[in-house]
Amino acid sequence: MDGVDYLADERSKAQFDVDELKIVWAGSPHAFEVSDRISRLVASDPAFRKDNRPMLGRKELFKNTLRKATYAWKRIIELRLNEEEASKLRFYVDEPAFTDLHWGMFVPAIKGQGTDEQQQKWLPLAYKMQIIGCYAQTELGHGSNVQGLETTATFDPQTDEFIIHSPTLTSSKWWPGGLGKISTHGVVYARLITDGQDHGVHGFIVQLRSLDDHSPLPGITVGDIGMKFGNGAYNTMDNGVLRFDHVRIPRDQMLMRFVGKELVFQVTRDGKVKQSNVPRQLVYGTMVFVRQTIVADASCAISRAVCIATRYSAVRRQFGSQNGGAETQVIDYKTQQNRLFPLLASAYAFRFVGEWLKWLYTDVTQRLQANDFSTLPEAHACTAGLKSLTTSATAAALSSAATFSFGIFSYTCLHHILKDAIEECRKLCGGHGYLCTSGLPELFAVYVPACTYEGDNIVLLLQVARFLMKTVSQLGSGKKPVGTTAYMGRAEHLLQCQCDVQRAEDWLKPSAILEAFEARATRMSVACARNLSKFKNQEEGFLELQADLVEAAVAHCQLIVVSKFIEKLQQDIPGNGVKQVLGVLCNVYALNILHKHLGDFLSTGCITPKQGSLASEQLRSLYSQVRPNAIALVDAFNYTDHYLGSVLGRYDGNVYPKLYEEAWKDPLNDTVVPDGYHEYIRPLLKQQLRTARL
Amino acid sequence: MDGVDYLADERSKAQFDVDELKIVWAGSPHAFEVSDRISRLVASDPAFRKDNRPMLGRKELFKNTLRKATYAWKRIIELRLNEEEASKLRFYVDEPAFTDLHWGMFVPAIKGQGTDEQQQKWLPLAYKMQIIGCYAQTELGHGSNVQGLETTATFDPQTDEFIIHSPTLTSSKWWPGGLGKISTHGVVYARLITDGQDHGVHGFIVQLRSLDDHSPLPGITVGDIGMKFGNGAYNTMDNGVLRFDHVRIPRDQMLMRFVGKELVFQVTRDGKVKQSNVPRQLVYGTMVFVRQTIVADASCAISRAVCIATRYSAVRRQFGSQNGGAETQVIDYKTQQNRLFPLLASAYAFRFVGEWLKWLYTDVTQRLQANDFSTLPEAHACTAGLKSLTTSATAAALSSAATFSFGIFSYTCLHHILKDAIEECRKLCGGHGYLCTSGLPELFAVYVPACTYEGDNIVLLLQVARFLMKTVSQLGSGKKPVGTTAYMGRAEHLLQCQCDVQRAEDWLKPSAILEAFEARATRMSVACARNLSKFKNQEEGFLELQADLVEAAVAHCQLIVVSKFIEKLQQDIPGNGVKQVLGVLCNVYALNILHKHLGDFLSTGCITPKQGSLASEQLRSLYSQVRPNAIALVDAFNYTDHYLGSVLGRYDGNVYPKLYEEAWKDPLNDTVVPDGYHEYIRPLLKQQLRTARL
């Protein structure tokens, strides 16, 4: 029954203007227009079909990705798309490919760390895709600990070259996307050695393959690292392994890392290392762009999963039939709402945090490029606490993490929650969520690596914790905490305040929520600091108390997300009922965290058991307010069925006939009697195993 | 460096007798001997190789599974293996296949529900695999709600036949394993209609395919439902779709469901339905066997994941290098221990619960077969509370769930925790856990469906909650709660007792732990009951308070697992240090739950915030006691490298060289220049897109 909207009833229940919320979600009318136009363009082009991915073998799958990536580039040129449109197009093609790394890491690395000459030489080639680049950092033996990388770049003053070499098996580059079969060049991270001295890890532009016939250059061993989790998922990507056997590159292929107009680090013709005194922690690198992208991807991933689970929960009926009538829609069960609606709220919460991060990065970037270091006291304050990170010359990667430590906080927090959210959505779809046609396995498998590929979350959370401890230790010094830790300036109050919630409705006040979250975060940090002070050796204390420190960091991150959601609601938001429904989601988001982490709030005395149960009561009544708006709230993401890639999440709700139809496309159904019957099954049934060839 | 044990150092640290613990894990010296022998047999036979699965396309993968299943059967015959050995062999082959359903559901269904005549007719054929059967219950539109199944079996008195029919699209059978391409027969669940009257859901033996040429019989449409989550995983299984168009079967192919010697339900020649007055809830069916298997599988799955993560955590080093020495083993970080060791403890906890369940099922089965209903007051008590389940004639499946409600409790609880455990182990392996060669994606994808394929966990937890509410409501009546709810008999005490823990060590006393868990479970149940009583309409209350009810049920289930672990430790356990190390794990298991659910314990006033923080302190010191024993504790599972299927979890710890070696086996590495280069990449690099065929 194509053309019928089986969810029309649900849509008519919405109490707000969906079109206005679409614009809020997109960020602006312009952003909405571009997204809407490009997503339809992709969805309507059969060359971008993606539903057959799970059925393809690795080689076919990969070849198909190459075709799509090249075709996408062709369309970008033909349609003269600008950078924003081109990047949206790649986004909606929705297939991990070498181009992600080329545009997302290789180009930004050169832009962020290259000298003017390097940029003039390499960027035009990269922009036209006359070379294809990757970002070769992670090694078999070292991921999170970038300082521990083993690849060496030894300067040879005789020839004015660096010799790139893989001295051990564990120094093999391992994981970089696009490296395995496609990239012609890479930004390779290696330890700089001059005159026998180790100067830490730096980036180098290295050609990997011949531009004539694509064969690896002499001294280079390169390949794919093999299959990864999931059916299609990241198996469309050639994550690579790479070994160097004394590969020589000219000196000017070391990325010299400019900040503003200042050269931060260079190796001179005679092998001397020169460093400027621009604060190391302000180096602006590739990872900043990357983080920004990852956060955006994260809010997309969760919203896709939530969209699928919400629509299907409205379609699926189970139990509760009375007098032979229809059964109850699964979305009407409180247990379903209790799991689903907080995730729906999270999708919006993360979107708004992402928006704020984007603004933050843009702002900081602009200041940096204007050589305006002095106006960044907040950045200084934060980076100071992350000194351990910046004591080595670990390339822009981690330094930038330090610079944007307020960014990292939320970023880390997101990942902490997100993957579980996708998996929870899959569970909310019951058994059918396990089918590839549901789209959820793919979403899960694609999203999973985000949690590790840019630094393990626990490692990042410990960095956050370290900064919090520093902040606490300076509280008495008159130095005011700023930015996202500003609330700690009121520590004295927060350490002894009493929550004044008396009725369930009191929990709707943003001030009540904020204070409870701030008190909890402060008290957990202060408790950690107190326990730390009992150790003679601070570092020993850090190791021993890691688990508590991580919990304190999580509390801080959750506070940030909640407070950014509340801030968003203080802005002007047009559209009938839009602000109201977002307000409901904000409360759902916060009170659900409060319920999940009740132990924190109670053990620190921030709230009483009675107040905790009032919060749960309020939460239940908020769910009833979300319910009629649920479908419209996910419609506001404005995802095409192509992008969503899920039979369960179809816009029209026509789930069962399409599931049935899709089943018959499996290769196993090519024949009624399966391949293997005559060799294996018939001899079994006919008791003729002795002569069977097995 | 084959032959070197890189974990020898770790093994020498163990403070207990590993060989003795192996026997405890296996259950008995005999069970250990059989497992050990058969697992080695499978591991040493190249025909059972499984490392290539992720690289195979669906058809190849499936065909390969057929080969293995038939070969396994051939070996079983050649080696004259007994039933126990044969089942172990299938277990260690470790590949989901049609045989799982044939032996695990089809045969037990006939054994459990067939009349003597039916058993005599069908079982010999099934035992010899002259027919292959599946269990066709779930439909496109109905999973958890078995009562809602739509397939009909209408009795035709004219011909003495049933007419099996699929009246709607959603009535299509959907999911049954082995159904898609292989099964020749199925136990099909359908609504029995006689004389226009609906008698609820019953099981029927239906032939699906010709035994001559394997083509589907007239009126039958059957096929595979398509790809599922994961690379190899369950894609080796032909989960099927099946539609009936008025298919006729003789009356004697309805399973008549005997209990003991009594006929429970039958349709006579003239279409009359006869029911005996044997209590419906005591019907003993297929699901009992199945549940038992699933619980066993669950403890295997988690122990495999934990084994991989533990060994790799000892191999992997990251950060913490001092003076150029080796970096710190990841397993030495408190954050890693905090996540890993509770999972290790869970593996043992679930094993012991599984053991208890197995005993329980055996015991109850024997009593039932001896027509000994009267000696089952506990079963009666439990089943009474699950009346809603048994009010329809929903076949043995759910009735058996009711009978063994004490079983279902733990069973449900297991699943609630398990899948997250596997995923957590994957995260604990960092980025490399995302590679198929780590074995963890496969383990995850294979295990995931266990959480839904036998009834959604939330649905089961709500059944548990319903029973708890019933128990609470009868507390005043003088009726003593028994079995796993016996503790509620002391409700008066548990509702007002105060935990007397004053020092961290006090948390080592089993009595302190048990009382805290019992008090928490009781208070949560009683609070739910109190809130329920505020509703005029009980059922409305149930719907509104679902989320709280589920939490109360979880608290009850966790108590059961903890108490069974404690009971195990009260038995005689031989072997140097074995009992001690298990005692440490038991405390880790309990105190970790206490920490994770601190909100429950605090808000119900079972413990004070101070006592909560003493528990965390004690937990940290327990981790130090687990640490030296960690590798030996996973060695005790006695898994071969073949069964484990993980490069990261290799017994010898030789991880990196093997990861590197495995990478080159990916099909993408067959050629240096990838397929697709000439068509897609070269035109891109050479700016010749206009003429490219894309």
Side-chain angles (χ1 to χ4, degrees):
Chain A
M1 300 286 274
D2 287 341
V4 177
D5 180 3
Y6 292 88
L7 290 171
D9 241 28
E10 287 289 339
R11 295 193 164 101
S12 70
K13 286 186 207 161
Q15 297 154 324
F16 68 94
D17 184 335
V18 185
D19 290 332
E20 288 288 348
L21 185 54
K22 283 182 181 173
I23 288 166
V24 174
W25 177 265
S28 71
H30 168 76
F32 172 77
E33 186 280 322
V34 174
S35 272
D36 188 61
R37 174 163 46 86
I38 302 288
S39 68
R40 285 167 200 273
L41 180 82
V42 173
S44 64
D45 190 334
F48 290 126
R49 173 185 171 195
K50 59 179 185 169
D51 60 332
N52 57 343
R53 277 190 302 214
M55 287 175 258
L56 302 176
R58 181 83 205 274
K59 272 181 164 174
E60 294 165 280
L61 180 70
F62 184 68
K63 187 174 177 181
N64 193 40
T65 302
L66 300 186
R67 178 188 59 73
K68 280 191 197 179
T70 300
Y71 177 74
W73 182 237
K74 189 179 178 190
R75 292 299 288 157
I76 287 167
I77 295 168
E78 285 170 353
L79 298 169
R80 296 168 191 269
L81 301 186
N82 63 27
E83 211 178 302
E84 183 190 10
E85 293 165 327
S87 125
K88 279 282 175 216
L89 186 129
R90 279 190 294 270
F91 175 81
Y92 283 115
V93 167
D94 188 41
E95 185 152 310
F98 65 92
T99 42
D100 299 349
L101 285 302
H102 177 80
W103 295 107
M105 306 222 23
F106 182 71
V107 168
I110 295 172
K111 270 168 93 170
Q113 301 169 44
T115 62
D116 284 349
E117 292 75 38
Q118 287 173 328
Q119 298 198 26
Q120 275 159 26
K121 174 171 179 188
W122 298 102
L123 288 182
L125 294 168
Y127 283 151
K128 288 193 191 157
M129 299 203 85
Q130 290 176 291
I131 61 174
I132 298 172
C134 65
Y135 188 86
Q137 180 180 294
T138 303
E139 297 175 356
L140 192 48
H142 289 90
S144 306
N145 183 11
V146 182
Q147 286 101 321
L149 294 177
E150 296 175 85
T151 304
T152 53
T154 309
F155 184 65
D156 178 355
Q158 304 252 291
T159 59
D160 199 20
E161 290 171 322
F162 291 110
I163 305 164
I164 312 285
H165 186 61
S166 309
T168 59
L169 179 77
T170 48
S171 74
S172 308
K173 293 294 171 189
W174 188 270
W175 277 118
L179 166 65
K181 308 305 286 186
I182 299 302
S183 291
T184 60
H185 292 66
V187 168
V188 173
Y189 285 85
R191 315 197 74 80
L192 170 64
I193 316 278
T194 63
D195 211 9
Q197 228 195 317
D198 184 327
H199 297 276
V201 175
H202 293 262
F204 300 82
I205 301 175
V206 185
Q207 182 171 352
L208 306 172
R209 289 173 174 269
S210 152
L211 290 173
D212 291 330
D213 63 5
H214 209 63
S215 59
L217 295 188
I220 284 175
T221 306
V222 64
D224 184 273
I225 59 168
M227 293 283 286
K228 289 141 291 185
F229 198 3
N231 308 81
Y234 260 92
N235 292 308
T236 58
M237 182 73 89
D238 52 333
N239 295 88
V241 47
L242 168 63
R243 289 183 60 75
F244 297 100
D245 181 7
H246 300 93
V247 172
R248 288 174 171 268
I249 60 166
R251 180 167 57 95
D252 67 4
Q253 286 178 213
M254 182 175 104
L255 290 172
M256 295 297 186
R257 301 199 290 141
F258 264 70
V259 170
K261 303 207 176 313
E262 254 187 289
L263 192 60
V264 176
F265 194 98
Q266 64 171 323
V267 175
T268 61
R269 173 64 188 89
D270 55 350
K272 293 276 175 298
V273 167
K274 276 196 188 169
Q275 279 183 266
S276 82
N277 41 14
V278 169
R280 184 72 63 69
Q281 60 268 43
L282 285 179
V283 171
Y284 184 74
T286 312
M287 283 296 172
V288 175
F289 291 98
V290 177
R291 286 239 161 79
Q292 196 179 312
T293 321
I294 292 179
V295 171
D297 288 354
S299 96
C300 289
I302 186 170
S303 56
R304 284 168 79 172
V306 163
C307 183
I308 295 167
T310 303
R311 287 182 182 159
Y312 181 59
S313 295
V315 169
R316 181 75 170 176
R317 292 171 179 272
Q318 203 80 178
F319 292 108
S321 161
Q322 274 163 350
N323 310 322
E327 292 170 274
T328 306
Q329 287 169 284
V330 167
I331 198 173
D332 282 324
Y333 288 105
K334 289 287 161 182
T335 43
Q336 192 83 356
Q337 296 180 0
N338 189 40
R339 294 156 78 196
L340 182 61
F341 292 168
L343 297 173
L344 177 53
S346 302
Y348 280 92
F350 295 163
R351 187 71 176 188
F352 298 142
V353 163
E355 224 171 57
W356 167 71
L357 272 179
K358 203 168 176 174
W359 166 83
L360 192 72
Y361 287 137
T362 313
D363 185 65
V364 173
T365 313
Q366 281 170 355
R367 287 170 191 273
L368 279 173
Q369 276 170 357
N371 256 12
D372 178 7
F373 302 132
S374 59
T375 61
L376 291 168
E378 193 178 346
H380 276 286
C382 292
T383 49
L386 292 166
K387 189 169 138 274
S388 74
L389 258 187
T390 52
T391 40
S392 105
T394 310
L398 284 175
S399 311
S400 67
T403 312
F404 303 100
S405 50
F406 30 79
I408 210 181
F409 289 179
S410 318
Y411 161 77
T412 306
C413 178
L414 286 184
H415 284 304
H416 197 73
I417 310 161
L418 259 170
K419 182 156 44 61
D420 296 338
I422 298 174
E423 173 58 8
E424 184 72 6
C425 286
R426 204 194 50 69
K427 284 190 250 175
L428 286 166
C429 290
H432 299 343
Y434 187 60
L435 279 172
C436 288
T437 43
S438 78
L440 291 165
E442 186 91 351
L443 208 50
F444 181 78
V446 165
Y447 192 71
V448 157
C451 299
T452 40
Y453 67 33
E454 222 256 286
D456 181 71
N457 282 333
I458 295 290
V459 173
L460 294 178
L461 281 168
L462 284 170
Q463 290 169 14
V464 172
R466 230 170 243 277
F467 181 66
L468 291 174
M469 292 306 100
K470 183 85 178 178
T471 307
V472 170
S473 75
Q474 294 179 336
L475 281 181
S477 74
K479 206 170 172 182
K480 274 215 158 179
V482 291
T484 57
T485 53
Y487 69 96
M488 284 206 185
R490 290 176 286 112
E492 218 166 314
H493 168 69
L494 292 171
L495 286 172
Q496 44 84 26
C497 64
Q498 303 265 331
C499 173
D500 60 1
V501 165
Q502 292 182 323
R503 299 163 312 155
E505 309 87 84
D506 293 342
W507 274 120
L508 298 176
K509 286 185 294 185
S511 59
I513 288 174
L514 264 186
E515 189 172 89
F517 274 77
E518 287 175 352
R520 166 203 180 211
T522 305
R523 293 176 195 193
M524 287 175 78
S525 280
V526 168
C528 279
R530 202 166 289 154
N531 287 332
L532 265 181
S533 70
K534 293 179 193 155
F535 286 82
K536 275 192 207 139
N537 179 326
Q538 276 284 302
E539 283 310 302
E540 232 168 64
F542 253 97
L543 288 174
E544 185 65 23
L545 299 175
Q546 273 188 350
D548 294 350
L549 286 162
V550 165
E551 287 180 7
V554 167
H556 174 75
C557 292
Q558 289 174 335
L559 165 62
I560 295 178
V561 181
V562 167
S563 64
K564 292 302 154 195
F565 204 149
I566 290 175
E567 276 175 27
K568 176 79 189 179
L569 290 171
Q570 285 158 351
Q571 296 170 18
D572 187 38
I573 301 177
N576 193 10
V578 171
K579 194 169 196 159
Q580 286 76 352
V581 78
L582 289 177
V584 171
L585 289 182
C586 179
N587 285 317
V588 165
Y589 182 72
L591 294 181
N592 177 62
I593 291 180
L594 190 144
H595 180 70
K596 284 253 167 86
H597 294 261
L598 192 57
D600 289 356
F601 288 89
L602 291 176
S603 65
T604 53
C606 295
I607 67 169
T608 63
K610 173 74 189 161
Q611 290 169 330
S613 90
L614 288 174
S616 305
E617 197 183 304
Q618 184 55 54
L619 198 51
R620 271 202 301 276
S621 102
L622 287 166
Y623 291 155
S624 306
Q625 295 175 50
V626 175
R627 172 62 189 92
N629 297 298
I631 297 299
L633 281 167
V634 301
D635 284 350
F637 305 148
N638 198 42
Y639 293 144
T640 62
D641 279 344
H642 171 272
Y643 180 65
L644 217 48
S646 167
V647 173
L648 302 187
R650 286 174 64 91
Y651 181 84
D652 67 6
N654 189 25
V655 170
Y656 295 120
K658 292 294 174 181
L659 266 184
Y660 189 79
E661 203 178 302
E662 287 299 315
W664 300 101
K665 296 182 185 165
D666 192 274
L668 275 194
N669 290 325
D670 289 352
T671 56
V672 176
V673 173
D675 196 15
Y677 166 74
H678 290 283
E679 298 97 310
Y680 310 127
I681 300 300
R682 196 178 160 82
L684 185 77
L685 290 167
K686 298 298 176 194
Q687 315 287 299
Q688 296 161 339
L689 282 183
R690 214 167 315 161
T691 55
R693 281 187 50 192
L694 301 171
Chain B
M1 299 285 275
D2 285 342
V4 177
D5 180 4
Y6 292 88
L7 290 171
D9 242 29
E10 287 289 340
R11 295 193 164 102
S12 70
K13 286 185 207 161
Q15 297 155 325
F16 67 93
D17 185 335
V18 184
D19 290 332
E20 288 288 347
L21 185 54
K22 283 182 182 175
I23 288 166
V24 174
W25 177 265
S28 71
H30 168 76
F32 172 77
E33 186 280 323
V34 175
S35 272
D36 189 63
R37 175 163 46 87
I38 302 290
S39 68
R40 284 166 201 272
L41 180 81
V42 172
S44 64
D45 189 335
F48 291 126
R49 176 186 169 193
K50 59 179 186 171
D51 59 333
N52 57 343
R53 277 189 303 214
M55 289 175 257
L56 302 177
R58 181 84 205 274
K59 274 181 162 173
E60 293 166 281
L61 181 70
F62 184 68
K63 186 173 177 182
N64 193 40
T65 303
L66 300 186
R67 178 188 58 74
K68 279 191 198 179
T70 300
Y71 177 74
W73 183 237
K74 187 179 178 190
R75 292 299 287 158
I76 288 167
I77 296 169
E78 286 170 351
L79 298 168
R80 298 168 189 267
L81 300 186
N82 63 28
E83 210 178 305
E84 181 190 10
E85 292 165 327
S87 126
K88 279 283 173 213
L89 186 129
R90 279 190 294 271
F91 174 80
Y92 283 113
V93 166
D94 187 39
E95 186 153 310
F98 65 92
T99 41
D100 300 349
L101 286 301
H102 177 79
W103 294 108
M105 309 225 14
F106 183 71
V107 168
I110 296 173
K111 271 168 92 171
Q113 300 169 45
T115 61
D116 283 348
E117 293 74 38
Q118 287 172 327
Q119 298 198 26
Q120 274 159 25
K121 174 171 179 189
W122 298 102
L123 287 181
L125 294 168
Y127 284 150
K128 287 192 192 160
M129 299 203 84
Q130 290 176 293
I131 62 174
I132 300 171
C134 65
Y135 188 86
Q137 179 179 295
T138 302
E139 297 175 356
L140 193 48
H142 289 89
S144 306
N145 184 10
V146 182
Q147 287 101 323
L149 293 177
E150 296 177 83
T151 303
T152 52
T154 310
F155 184 65
D156 179 355
Q158 305 254 288
T159 60
D160 198 19
E161 288 171 323
F162 292 109
I163 305 164
I164 313 284
H165 187 60
S166 309
T168 60
L169 180 76
T170 47
S171 73
S172 308
K173 293 294 172 188
W174 188 269
W175 277 118
L179 166 64
K181 308 305 288 185
I182 300 302
S183 291
T184 61
H185 291 67
V187 168
V188 173
Y189 285 86
R191 314 197 74 80
L192 170 65
I193 316 277
T194 62
D195 212 9
Q197 226 196 319
D198 184 328
H199 297 275
V201 176
H202 293 262
F204 300 83
I205 300 176
V206 185
Q207 181 171 353
L208 307 172
R209 289 173 173 268
S210 151
L211 289 173
D212 290 330
D213 63 5
H214 209 63
S215 58
L217 295 188
I220 284 176
T221 306
V222 63
D224 183 273
I225 59 169
M227 293 283 286
K228 289 140 291 186
F229 198 4
N231 306 80
Y234 260 92
N235 292 307
T236 57
M237 181 74 89
D238 53 333
N239 294 90
V241 47
L242 167 64
R243 289 183 62 75
F244 297 99
D245 182 6
H246 300 94
V247 172
R248 289 175 169 267
I249 59 167
R251 180 167 57 95
D252 68 5
Q253 286 178 215
M254 183 176 105
L255 290 172
M256 297 296 187
R257 302 199 290 141
F258 264 71
V259 171
K261 303 206 175 314
E262 258 190 285
L263 192 58
V264 176
F265 194 100
Q266 64 171 323
V267 175
T268 60
R269 174 63 190 90
D270 54 350
K272 293 275 176 296
V273 168
K274 276 198 188 168
Q275 278 183 268
S276 82
N277 43 12
V278 168
R280 184 72 62 71
Q281 60 268 43
L282 285 178
V283 170
Y284 185 72
T286 313
M287 283 294 173
V288 176
F289 292 99
V290 177
R291 285 241 161 78
Q292 194 179 315
T293 320
I294 292 178
V295 171
D297 286 355
S299 95
C300 288
I302 186 169
S303 57
R304 284 168 80 172
V306 163
C307 182
I308 296 168
T310 303
R311 286 182 182 159
Y312 182 60
S313 293
V315 170
R316 182 75 170 175
R317 292 169 180 271
Q318 204 80 176
F319 292 108
S321 160
Q322 274 163 351
N323 309 320
E327 291 170 272
T328 306
Q329 286 169 286
V330 168
I331 199 173
D332 282 324
Y333 288 105
K334 289 285 160 181
T335 43
Q336 192 82 357
Q337 295 179 1
N338 189 40
R339 295 156 74 196
L340 181 61
F341 292 167
L343 297 173
L344 177 53
S346 303
Y348 280 92
F350 296 163
R351 187 71 177 189
F352 298 141
V353 164
E355 223 170 59
W356 168 72
L357 273 178
K358 202 168 175 174
W359 166 82
L360 193 70
Y361 286 137
T362 313
D363 185 64
V364 173
T365 312
Q366 282 170 355
R367 287 170 191 274
L368 280 173
Q369 278 171 354
N371 255 11
D372 177 7
F373 303 132
S374 59
T375 60
L376 289 171
E378 193 177 346
H380 277 286
C382 292
T383 49
L386 291 165
K387 190 170 135 273
S388 74
L389 257 187
T390 52
T391 42
S392 104
T394 309
L398 283 175
S399 313
S400 67
T403 311
F404 304 100
S405 51
F406 29 78
I408 210 181
F409 289 178
S410 318
Y411 160 77
T412 306
C413 179
L414 286 184
H415 283 304
H416 196 72
I417 309 161
L418 259 171
K419 182 156 45 59
D420 297 338
I422 298 174
E423 174 58 6
E424 184 72 5
C425 286
R426 204 193 49 70
K427 286 192 250 174
L428 285 167
C429 290
H432 300 342
Y434 186 60
L435 280 171
C436 288
T437 44
S438 78
L440 290 164
E442 185 91 353
L443 209 48
F444 181 78
V446 165
Y447 192 71
V448 157
C451 300
T452 40
Y453 67 34
E454 219 256 288
D456 181 71
N457 283 333
I458 296 289
V459 173
L460 295 178
L461 281 168
L462 284 171
Q463 291 170 12
V464 173
R466 229 170 243 277
F467 180 66
L468 291 174
M469 293 306 100
K470 183 87 177 177
T471 307
V472 170
S473 75
Q474 295 180 333
L475 282 182
S477 73
K479 205 170 172 185
K480 275 215 159 182
V482 291
T484 58
T485 53
Y487 68 97
M488 286 206 186
R490 289 175 287 113
E492 215 166 316
H493 168 69
L494 292 171
L495 285 173
Q496 43 84 26
C497 64
Q498 302 266 328
C499 172
D500 60 0
V501 165
Q502 292 182 323
R503 298 162 313 155
E505 308 88 82
D506 293 342
W507 275 121
L508 298 177
K509 286 184 294 186
S511 59
I513 289 175
L514 263 186
E515 188 172 88
F517 274 77
E518 287 175 351
R520 166 202 179 212
T522 305
R523 294 178 194 191
M524 288 174 76
S525 280
V526 168
C528 278
R530 202 168 289 154
N531 288 331
L532 266 180
S533 69
K534 293 179 192 155
F535 287 82
K536 275 192 207 137
N537 179 327
Q538 277 282 305
E539 284 310 303
E540 233 169 64
F542 254 98
L543 287 173
E544 185 66 23
L545 299 176
Q546 272 189 350
D548 295 349
L549 287 162
V550 165
E551 288 179 7
V554 167
H556 174 76
C557 292
Q558 289 174 335
L559 165 62
I560 295 177
V561 181
V562 167
S563 65
K564 291 303 153 195
F565 205 148
I566 290 175
E567 275 174 26
K568 176 78 188 180
L569 291 170
Q570 285 159 350
Q571 295 170 17
D572 187 38
I573 301 177
N576 193 9
V578 171
K579 194 169 197 159
Q580 286 79 353
V581 78
L582 289 176
V584 170
L585 289 182
C586 179
N587 284 318
V588 165
Y589 181 73
L591 293 180
N592 177 62
I593 290 180
L594 189 145
H595 180 71
K596 285 251 168 88
H597 295 262
L598 191 57
D600 288 356
F601 289 89
L602 291 177
S603 65
T604 52
C606 294
I607 65 169
T608 64
K610 172 73 189 161
Q611 289 168 330
S613 90
L614 288 175
S616 304
E617 195 184 305
Q618 183 56 52
L619 197 51
R620 272 202 301 277
S621 103
L622 287 167
Y623 291 154
S624 307
Q625 295 174 50
V626 174
R627 172 63 188 91
N629 297 300
I631 297 300
L633 280 167
V634 301
D635 285 349
F637 305 148
N638 200 42
Y639 293 144
T640 62
D641 279 345
H642 171 273
Y643 179 66
L644 216 48
S646 167
V647 173
L648 302 186
R650 288 172 64 90
Y651 181 84
D652 65 6
N654 190 26
V655 170
Y656 295 121
K658 292 294 174 183
L659 267 183
Y660 188 79
E661 203 178 302
E662 287 299 316
W664 299 101
K665 296 182 185 164
D666 192 273
L668 275 193
N669 291 325
D670 289 352
T671 56
V672 177
V673 173
D675 197 14
Y677 165 74
H678 289 283
E679 298 96 311
Y680 309 126
I681 299 301
R682 196 179 159 83
L684 184 78
L685 289 167
K686 297 297 176 197
Q687 315 288 297
Q688 296 162 340
L689 282 184
R690 213 165 316 159
T691 54
R693 283 185 49 192
L694 299 171

